Amino acid sequence: LFSQIPPVRSKAPPSDSQRPPPAYTPTNRASYSNTPPPPPYPSYPGQQQPNSRVVQDNGIKEERQIQDALKIKLSRHLQQFYKDIRGKVDKEFEIQKALKRNEKRLQEAEANLEKQKQDLRSVISVITEKGVQLKSWLEIHEDAAKADAADEELNIDTAVTPADKWSEQLFDAVAEMNSIEDTLYYLDKALANDIIEIHVFLKEVRKLSRRQFIVKALAIKIMKKQQVQRMS
């Protein structure tokens, strides 16, 4: 019916609302730029809108509250921090004091050990010297004893001689005390075997005990005199 080319329809003319705006020419720009701007809105100093002022006051108040809360929180944290630091420092001071006390004790113990070491060395030196002297004395007297034994039998009475008169009296007193002890022993044994009577035993025991007391007192007195003489 129709060919490949569609039929041409007639269009209605465009309305005013659909028409494009007129292009501005330099003449139009010049006329627009010469138009004076509208006057600004009059502003008065200190005059603000009520709502903006309330908002600003509330913001300042909240900011101050936040600052105060932060200061309080920071103050608490600082107080706790200082408290912990102070406790640690005090503990370190106590440890330092304990270490100093222990160091002083160790130094004193070391000094005492050093002193004892020196004393022991001195004692060892003296003992060594005395040992050498004793060894030489034994060698000398051993040779003399062998020579005397070869000549005659050793006499106990002449082997030990007192150095002075007090020593001689002390020897006699000790010998008499030992002899009284032996006598009392044999008297007791004789009484047990019914060799002597009881009244004879008591009589001899009283006499020997009195003599033994006197001899013992004499020996003690002589020893005290000898000690005083040695100290002087």
Side-chain angles (χ1 to χ4, degrees):
L1 297 177
F2 300 101
S3 62
Q4 293 181 355
I5 300 172
V8 178
R9 293 181 181 180
S10 61
K11 295 182 181 179
S15 61
D16 296 336
S17 59
Q18 292 180 356
R19 291 179 181 178
Y24 291 97
T25 59
T27 307
N28 293 334
R29 287 197 193 109
S31 62
Y32 181 78
S33 61
N34 293 328
T35 304
Y41 184 81
S43 61
Y44 302 96
Q47 182 181 3
Q48 294 180 355
Q49 295 295 330
N51 293 333
S52 62
R53 183 172 183 179
V54 171
V55 171
Q56 185 176 4
D57 293 341
N58 292 334
I60 294 173
K61 186 176 180 180
E62 291 179 359
E63 184 178 358
R64 289 180 180 176
Q65 291 177 355
I66 294 172
Q67 290 179 356
D68 294 338
L70 289 174
K71 288 180 181 178
I72 294 171
K73 189 174 182 180
L74 181 61
S75 178
R76 290 177 181 175
H77 281 292
L78 288 175
Q79 288 178 0
Q80 185 64 33
F81 176 75
Y82 290 150
K83 185 178 180 181
D84 296 340
I85 292 297
R86 190 180 299 109
K88 292 181 180 179
V89 171
D90 293 339
K91 187 176 181 181
E92 291 294 332
F93 281 151
E94 292 296 331
I95 293 173
Q96 290 294 329
K97 289 180 181 179
L99 289 175
K100 288 182 179 179
R101 288 195 298 268
N102 293 333
E103 183 181 4
K104 186 176 180 181
R105 291 175 183 174
L106 289 174
Q107 290 177 356
E108 291 177 355
E110 185 179 2
N112 292 329
L113 289 175
E114 188 66 25
K115 184 178 179 181
Q116 292 178 3
K117 186 177 180 181
Q118 295 295 332
D119 295 339
L120 288 174
R121 287 179 178 176
S122 301
V123 171
I124 291 172
S125 177
V126 172
I127 291 174
T128 304
E129 184 179 356
K130 294 294 183 182
V132 173
Q133 295 177 1
L134 181 61
K135 186 177 181 181
S136 62
W137 183 87
L138 287 174
E139 291 175 354
I140 294 172
H141 289 78
E142 187 178 1
D143 295 339
K146 288 180 180 180
D148 293 338
D151 295 339
E152 58 181 2
E153 187 178 355
L154 180 63
N155 188 2
I156 192 64
D157 295 330
T158 59
V160 180
T161 57
D164 50 12
K165 188 66 177 177
W166 283 350
S167 299
E168 185 178 358
Q169 291 179 358
L170 184 61
F171 285 166
D172 295 338
V174 172
E176 189 173 356
M177 281 192 298
N178 292 330
S179 63
I180 292 172
E181 288 288 341
D182 294 338
T183 304
L184 290 174
Y185 170 76
Y186 285 108
L187 283 174
D188 185 66
K189 191 173 182 180
L191 179 63
N193 294 327
D194 295 331
I195 297 175
I196 59 176
E197 298 294 333
I198 185 65
H199 63 279
V200 177
F201 173 77
L202 294 175
K203 181 180 178 181
E204 294 297 328
V205 168
R206 284 196 296 269
K207 183 171 64 174
L208 291 173
S209 298
R210 189 180 302 109
R211 181 60 185 171
Q212 187 182 25
F213 177 78
I214 295 171
V215 174
K216 188 177 290 186
L218 177 62
I220 293 172
K221 187 175 181 180
I222 291 171
M223 286 189 293
K224 288 183 178 179
K225 291 289 185 181
Q226 287 179 341
Q227 289 178 358
V228 173
Q229 186 180 9
R230 289 171 185 173
M231 291 176 63
S232 59

